[in-house]
Amino acid sequence: MSTRKRIVLLGATGSIGSSTLKVLENHSDRLELVGIAARSNVDGLAEIADKFGVRQVGLFDPAAGARAAADPRFKSGTVFYHGVDEVASLATLPDADLVVVAVVGTAGLKPTLAAIEAKKTIALASKEILVLAGEFVTRAARENQVLILPLDSEHNAIFQCLQGAHHRDVQRIILTASGGSFLDRPIETMDRVTPAEALNHPNWSMGDKITIDSATMANKGLELIEARWLFDLRSDSIDVVIHRQSFVHSMVEFVDGSILAQLSPPSMTFAIQHTLLFPDRATGTHPSLDFSTAMRLDFQPPDTSKFPCLTLARQALEGNGILPAAFNAANEVAVEAFLDGRIGFMKIPVIIEKTLEVIPNREPSRLDDVTEADKEARGIASRWVAP
Ligand code: NDP
Ligand code: MG
């Protein structure tokens, strides 16, 4: 019987997906890919299935699933999972140990909950899932005694700094932010930002949605809320600091004033490898930081007038109830509209703000309450977006 850790990778064709495949390739003695899924990229999945010998293939989009099932590039005997419900069963395969959740947005919520109930360890990149349904996901993980390993680099850094620490000794955590594409751009010119400019991130190469979220700093806002659930902290124990070099991935301050940080170059392979091999470590796929030449580590507070999404996320977090779900939904609607050229860049925070103002807040008692709030917020946000 195989002693390798068996991995299911949701979002295999994306940016995190391809970095995960790099780590898997480098550590094929310890890790085995047993299942993959994407939305509709049949070509990408066929290539990965062939290269890694994977026979369990999921497509969130059922029509693409039907195309894949008829595609001769997949070896005979390949089992296909069509649509989100079947992808959820892919995430519970008896021969899987760990599920990497790296799909954009909240499409991975159902498969993640299914995997938790099947007692699979989760490596979570899809922060939107915790913003939408953090209470339900973390409760399910506690009840099933399942570990959620943070794959987002900031949260992974905090997780590493917290090893061996007591929760009561944590004073605060400090999330670092690169500041995105417009850290130095004058505020008066922010209205004229084009999608191409916003997609050009100085440090990180990522999917389109998260690159825009970095440019507006909504990404750090989502990460605030993500941190609240992953580490069970209040909003006033989570700070954000701009660190343009992206070497320090985040920090933890303890009650005695000591601060621990995790450092590595801006490559997601560090966080991914950490989650896949945890609690073990092994040689990395990327060179580590080089101290033989001079380097700087700069820190500065974020400019919240230029990046209102950060303040809006904190308001949503503090307002609690369904406001974090509404923040996430309105942001997704606005980002899509910006990428399609239907709204200007600075309209993104305006649409989020209006949605948070209009939607009636309430305490969600069931998972359906947050998914309904998500739909309602999308409807509200769409009113300010030209069709
Ligand atoms: P990409 O856009 O590069 O990839 C997205 C993946 O998700 C693809 O496999 C895509 O499939 C699939 N996907 C897209 N939309 C849907 C949908 N509606 N339903 C199901 N699957 C879908 O994204 P990233 O890899 O950049 O990001 C993935 C997640 O990881 C996001 O939640 C992001 O916030 C988070 N993250 C990313 C980081 C990064 O460095 N990129 C860093 C930290 C977190 P297909 O190819 O078929 O469209
Ligand atoms: Mg991050």
Side-chain angles (χ1 to χ4, degrees):
M1 210 179 99
S2 162
T3 55
R4 294 187 293 173
K5 207 181 273 184
R6 294 156 305 178
I7 315 287
V8 170
L9 174 55
L10 309 182
T13 53
S15 158
I16 292 288
S18 70
S19 300
T20 304
L21 294 172
K22 241 184 254 166
V23 173
L24 283 163
E25 219 178 338
N26 212 36
H27 295 292
S28 55
D29 54 329
R30 300 173 185 226
L31 303 169
E32 180 185 2
L33 188 61
V34 295
I36 50 176
R39 175 178 42 190
S40 55
N41 184 345
V42 176
D43 291 346
L45 289 174
E47 207 176 293
I48 300 163
D50 181 47
K51 184 165 176 186
F52 289 84
V54 178
R55 298 292 175 84
Q56 318 261 3
V57 177
L59 288 118
F60 282 84
D61 173 0
R67 277 206 315 279
D71 192 314
R73 288 173 296 175
F74 293 97
K75 293 230 158 45
S76 69
T78 300
V79 181
F80 292 95
Y81 298 78
H82 309 258
V84 66
D85 290 328
E86 291 190 14
V87 173
S89 43
L90 172 66
T92 63
L93 281 182
D95 64 348
D97 303 304
L98 180 144
V99 178
V100 179
V101 183
V103 301
V104 175
T106 53
L109 175 62
K110 202 167 184 180
T112 304
L113 286 168
I116 291 173
E117 272 154 30
K119 308 218 185 289
K120 311 294 182 195
T121 304
I122 308 292
L124 186 64
S126 304
K127 61 194 89 189
E128 297 94 338
I129 289 178
L130 287 180
V131 177
L132 174 70
E135 187 177 350
F136 300 96
V137 173
T138 52
R139 188 192 302 154
R142 267 195 316 279
E143 285 172 0
N144 288 284
Q145 297 182 313
V146 159
L147 204 50
I148 300 181
L149 296 165
L151 200 153
D152 207 352
S153 56
E154 297 77 1
H155 306 72
N156 183 265
I158 291 161
F159 181 87
Q160 294 197 45
C161 294
L162 285 175
Q163 292 306 298
H166 294 294
H167 188 269
R168 63 172 181 272
D169 292 337
V170 175
Q171 180 72 31
R172 62 177 174 144
I173 60 175
I174 303 140
L175 299 173
T176 53
S178 66
S181 315
F182 306 124
L183 183 58
D184 300 317
R185 183 166 170 142
I187 189 166
E188 317 77 67
T189 69
M190 293 288 281
D191 260 341
R192 299 199 290 274
V193 162
T194 64
E197 287 171 326
L199 285 171
N200 185 19
H201 194 285
N203 302 353
W204 296 94
S205 151
M206 309 181 285
D208 288 358
K209 156 82 172 31
I210 185 172
T211 307
I212 302 302
D213 286 348
S214 296
T216 60
M217 288 198 74
N219 182 50
K220 215 47 55 179
L222 296 170
E223 290 182 354
L224 260 179
I225 303 169
E226 179 186 15
R228 180 262 171 274
W229 291 112
L230 283 172
F231 306 115
D232 191 20
L233 292 169
R234 287 162 39 126
S235 166
D236 56 6
S237 305
I238 312 170
D239 281 346
V240 171
V241 66
I242 301 285
H243 165 54
R244 63 171 70 233
Q245 291 87 1
S246 296
F247 292 154
V248 175
H249 294 294
S250 279
M251 302 179 261
V252 177
E253 182 179 304
F254 293 92
V255 286
D256 58 4
S258 275
I259 295 179
L260 296 191
Q262 184 266 336
L263 281 76
S264 53
S267 159
M268 285 307 295
T269 56
F270 291 91
I272 293 168
Q273 176 166 320
H274 177 264
T275 60
L276 297 191
L277 296 181
F278 182 80
D280 298 332
R281 290 188 186 261
T283 310
T285 59
H286 192 285
S288 61
L289 280 181
D290 178 9
F291 290 96
S292 66
T293 53
M295 77 162 85
R296 293 179 52 150
L297 301 178
D298 293 311
F299 299 97
Q300 69 191 75
D303 177 349
T304 47
S305 53
K306 198 160 125 188
F307 300 108
C309 289
L310 202 49
T311 312
L312 292 168
R314 204 177 273 286
Q315 281 166 8
L317 172 58
E318 289 171 0
N320 201 16
I322 52 102
L323 294 184
F327 175 90
N328 179 60
N331 181 54
E332 268 188 42
V333 169
V335 169
E336 210 182 293
F338 169 69
L339 283 172
D340 292 351
R342 285 178 284 140
I343 60 166
F345 185 74
M346 289 308 275
K347 255 319 221 358
I348 297 174
V350 173
I351 288 171
I352 298 173
E353 185 174 17
K354 285 183 188 293
T355 305
L356 292 177
E357 269 167 22
V358 170
I359 197 162
N361 195 14
R362 64 255 183 192
E363 255 342 288
S365 51
R366 303 166 305 135
L367 185 64
D368 285 352
D369 295 339
V370 285
T371 50
E372 276 157 26
D374 172 87
K375 274 200 210 94
E376 186 181 345
R378 281 170 204 274
I380 296 170
S382 304
R383 289 187 213 157
W384 287 285
V385 170

